[in-house]
Amino acid sequence: MAGKKLASLALAVVLALSLLVVPAGAAGNGVGVLLDGVPVAYDDNYGYPFLDSAGRTQVPFRRTMETFGCTVSWDNENRVAIAEKDGVRVEVPIGQAYLLRNGQRVDLDTVAQIRNTRTFLPIRPVVEAFGAAVTWDGGNRQVLITTGADLVRVHFLDVGQGDAALIDCGTVEVLIDGGDNGAGKDVVAYLAPYVDGALDYVIATHPDADHIGGLDDVLEAYQVGEVIDSGRASDTKTYADYWAAVQAEGCTFSYDTDRIIPLSGNTVLSILETGDDWADSNDCSVVAQLTCGNVQVLFTGDMTQEVEAASLSLFGDIDVLKVGHHGSASSTSPAFLDVVQPECAVVSYGLDNRYGHPTTQVLQRLLGRGLPVYGTGKSGPIVLTTDGYSYSFNTTVTLSLRDAGNG
């Protein structure tokens, strides 16, 4: 009888212990992290992920970032967690709603914190700063991190009151515009970590200085495979410098016509011809749509409502809209939005610019549809990362009507 009691007691202990086992990658409240499909293993020594008061997943700093492949360190004097990988240095100050990526500030909607002497970081903005894609599996309460060359990244550069965007698709890179004359060297420096060999395509959407001003510096700094131009010239010195740089490059040169440019197995860039006979050179802008699997990003240059109306049949449902003409009231009409139905929008503009961009009218049109709107004037460089199924941004800071320039 005593033997049976001892056996029953032993079985009860085993069952109790089995209920206390926390799965690899799971926190005490059931939050886990999967890195390229493999659970990150947390334990009592490192701590476990948890959801903070802002609803963001906080993860143990050292275990997570070392598993991600980073070298980690701690600045005790300034209370800053530091992670470095592949030339990227991310500094996350405790209790501050921002991080620094290679010295560039990225604002956050939550803060890193110390809990029980352990450092915890908000996972999404930190790993996105290294170019990873992050999604949330609500059903299984897991953060899914995807890395690798199959990811496509769109960088909306902060060039002040101007436009510049880089599409980085594995070993293929496309630059759309280059900001104004003063932005050229900054654009060249920004591209350096991403250009593999030649810069495959440069698209000059139209001859305005705030779009092509920096392209002569880019053409001088990089071997360029092809320049795609709107076909409109200008009598400005800025255009003369750009055109001289194109000729000196000796690369393939073409005007925008309907075409599809393969970038990878599941990614293409489509040039959508909207006409070149418009009186305003803004309306002759090169319009391009990036399609990566099921994710679409539309770049509209400075196209105005007149061209939008005449070209509605060219457009369809998209995910991300690069807002036309820096958020000018002359672009992004309700009829256009009805057709493209974006899930979110990005505005490239300079803070406190003299044009009043982005305007109240355009922000009202976008925000009225419930869209998150990101802006370079507020966030600095904005990076979209996609695996063709989902996408994420490197910032959670969005624009409100208070950010309108009232132009």
Side-chain angles (χ1 to χ4, degrees):
M1 189 72 174
K4 288 184 178 180
K5 286 184 177 179
L6 288 174
S8 298
L9 179 61
L11 179 59
V13 170
V14 170
L15 290 172
L17 289 175
S18 69
L19 293 174
L20 292 175
V21 173
V22 180
N29 61 358
V31 177
V33 177
L34 267 66
L35 176 59
D36 290 328
V38 178
V40 179
Y42 299 106
D43 57 30
D44 291 340
N45 183 48
Y46 290 98
Y48 299 97
F50 64 91
L51 297 182
D52 65 18
S53 59
R56 307 305 181 193
T57 303
Q58 297 272 349
V59 297
F61 163 53
R62 182 172 295 277
R63 171 52 61 92
T64 305
M65 300 317 296
E66 286 183 340
T67 305
F68 188 72
C70 293
T71 300
V72 302
S73 57
W74 170 254
D75 178 350
N76 191 55
E77 181 180 355
N78 297 300
R79 291 167 54 86
V80 176
I82 303 167
E84 298 178 87
K85 178 184 179 182
D86 299 333
V88 176
R89 177 184 173 94
V90 175
E91 302 169 68
V92 189
I94 301 300
Q96 303 295 320
Y98 70 90
L99 61 78
L100 298 176
R101 182 190 186 277
N102 288 346
Q104 187 84 39
R105 178 174 172 137
V106 177
D107 290 321
L108 311 176
D109 63 357
T110 190
V111 300
Q113 54 187 275
I114 293 178
R115 175 182 282 197
N116 296 328
T117 73
R118 301 183 184 93
T119 302
F120 290 83
L121 306 183
I123 182 65
R124 178 185 290 274
V126 174
V127 297
E128 284 180 346
F130 288 99
V134 183
T135 55
W136 170 250
D137 178 356
N140 295 304
R141 293 176 62 80
Q142 291 181 325
V143 177
L144 309 180
I145 304 173
T146 306
T147 65
D150 55 337
L151 296 176
V152 174
R153 299 176 179 89
V154 181
H155 302 251
F156 301 94
L157 281 64
D158 179 14
V159 290
Q161 185 59 25
D163 250 337
L166 172 70
I167 299 170
D168 184 10
C169 182
T171 60
V172 179
E173 292 84 34
V174 181
L175 178 67
I176 303 177
D177 290 330
D180 63 17
N181 289 288
K185 288 182 172 51
D186 289 338
V187 172
V188 168
Y190 189 97
L191 298 182
Y194 308 107
V195 176
D196 306 289
L199 177 55
D200 299 273
Y201 299 93
V202 170
I203 297 176
T205 60
H206 64 294
D208 283 4
D210 59 328
H211 290 252
I212 65 166
L215 290 184
D216 54 341
D217 289 320
V218 172
L219 287 159
E220 181 180 352
Y222 294 99
Q223 178 185 347
V224 173
E226 180 177 354
V227 172
I228 301 172
D229 188 286
S230 68
R232 291 296 291 267
S234 173
D235 59 2
T236 64
K237 183 179 185 304
T238 296
Y239 181 82
D241 291 342
Y242 153 76
W243 184 240
V246 171
Q247 293 177 307
E249 185 71 19
C251 60
T252 301
F253 177 82
S254 60
Y255 294 118
D256 63 323
T257 56
D258 287 318
R259 63 185 284 196
I260 296 177
I261 303 171
L263 302 183
S264 74
N266 73 332
T267 305
V268 300
L269 185 69
S270 302
I271 306 298
L272 308 177
E273 176 58 78
T274 57
D276 296 322
D277 298 324
W278 302 96
D280 189 336
S281 63
N282 285 336
D283 287 330
C284 299
S285 291
V286 180
V287 176
Q289 179 171 309
L290 176 71
T291 301
C292 174
N294 296 320
V295 176
Q296 296 86 28
V297 184
L298 182 63
F299 303 85
T300 59
D302 280 358
M303 178 178 65
T304 68
Q305 293 187 33
E306 183 178 6
V307 182
E308 292 171 1
S311 308
L312 287 179
S313 62
L314 300 179
F315 304 114
D317 195 350
I318 63 169
D319 296 285
V320 181
L321 173 65
K322 168 61 177 57
V323 176
H325 206 176
H326 320 285
S328 165
S330 64
S331 300
T332 319
S333 67
F336 175 69
L337 291 174
D338 285 342
V339 171
V340 297
Q341 300 183 45
E343 294 180 355
C344 57
V346 178
V347 188
S348 180
Y349 71 100
L351 198 62
D352 299 323
N353 65 85
R354 63 191 178 94
Y355 303 101
H357 296 158
T359 60
T360 298
Q361 298 96 312
V362 167
L363 284 181
Q364 284 176 331
R365 294 171 199 160
L366 296 169
L367 297 173
R369 293 168 183 258
L371 307 185
V373 182
Y374 303 92
T376 58
K378 189 171 186 178
S379 296
I382 296 169
V383 184
L384 177 155
T385 301
T386 180
D387 58 2
Y389 298 97
S390 62
Y391 60 90
S392 61
F393 287 90
N394 68 330
T395 179
T396 56
V397 177
T398 56
L399 302 185
S400 69
L401 283 179
R402 292 190 298 273
D403 296 299
N406 298 313

